[in-house]
Amino acid sequence: AILLFGCLGVLYLWFTILTPQNASFDSRWYHQPIAEIYVTQGGIEPFSEGWMPGAYPQLASLLYAWAFSLPGTSFDRVVTAAHIELAVFLMTLVGIPAIVRRILGERIRFAWVALFLFPGIFCYDSSLVLGADHVAAVFAAPVFLVSLRYLETPSRGYAALLGAFIAGAVDTKYSAVILAGLPLPVVAVRGLRDLRASRPGMRG
């Protein structure tokens, strides 16, 4: 029953993206146009007219540019871009069981279904509307998991990976900087631990 509930949730979200009319205002205003312009220009070029949204983080638009570079009608390209967002969302669902297992220390079957207990995912501007929110959200689980790994066993590899995940989120939208709320204190705490370990006489 739990698995069926989760599958129905995914199916409902998939059904909503089968029409280009599902795209949000922000998507029509700059996410899709940026992708279309880059495809038309044949590459990433500056906006000489000084278009302000052209200076926003653009990772989502770059993903959607794959869809807009394909042959077909506008309908085909927009719906294909919507399916790219769906694929990113499914990757986010995969991260939920990993977080639950890391916190509880045991595997919880179908933990990803818990996302659908929050009806906001089915509401406008929180659902799959060809925006940037779900592209940024895919970095949440990796940031959380790598932050804990770095706290336990710091290394340059984990530090670089953590920085890459945070950069990916911020390159998607400015508000995704909130994902740095955990890594920053983790790095600070780990740094203090290492400093104390290097100075045996140092007291807290």
Side-chain angles (χ1 to χ4, degrees):
I2 295 175
L3 178 60
L4 178 61
F5 176 74
C7 291
L8 287 176
V10 173
L11 184 64
Y12 179 82
L13 289 177
W14 173 74
F15 182 76
T16 64
I17 69 173
L18 296 181
T19 170
Q21 299 299 323
N22 188 58
S24 67
F25 175 79
D26 285 352
S27 178
R28 301 183 190 197
W29 181 32
Y30 63 93
H31 292 307
Q32 293 183 60
I34 288 175
E36 290 180 303
I37 292 171
Y38 286 161
V39 171
T40 301
Q41 295 177 155
I44 300 175
E45 300 288 344
F47 296 94
S48 57
E49 70 277 14
W51 187 40
M52 184 176 295
Y56 291 174
Q58 301 176 6
L59 183 57
S61 295
L62 295 179
L63 292 177
Y64 300 149
W66 292 352
F68 284 99
S69 65
L70 298 175
T73 65
S74 296
F75 177 94
D76 300 328
R77 294 167 181 168
V78 174
V79 172
T80 301
H83 280 77
I84 291 178
E85 184 185 24
L86 174 63
V88 171
F89 172 73
L90 295 178
M91 293 171 61
T92 305
L93 291 183
V94 172
I96 295 176
I99 292 177
V100 172
R101 184 173 183 176
R102 184 64 175 80
I103 294 175
L104 301 181
E106 59 179 311
R107 181 172 177 266
I108 305 297
R109 296 183 64 188
F110 312 132
W112 57 272
V113 179
L115 178 70
F116 296 105
L117 296 177
F118 300 88
I121 189 64
F122 301 112
C123 298
Y124 175 80
D125 208 37
S126 295
S127 189
L128 304 183
V129 290
L130 277 171
D133 292 347
H134 291 288
V135 177
V138 76
F139 294 101
V143 166
F144 176 79
L145 296 172
V146 176
S147 294
L148 297 185
R149 284 292 186 92
Y150 182 84
L151 180 63
E152 297 169 346
T153 54
S155 68
R156 291 183 179 179
Y158 285 142
L161 197 58
L162 185 58
F165 287 141
I166 296 174
V170 176
D171 283 343
T172 305
K173 59 183 307 179
Y174 288 127
S175 60
V177 72
I178 62 174
L179 292 181
L182 175 64
L184 291 179
V186 162
V187 171
V189 168
R190 188 66 226 193
L192 289 175
R193 285 184 181 180
D194 294 342
L195 182 62
R196 290 174 180 174
S198 64
R199 299 179 181 179
M202 183 178 180
R203 296 181 180 180

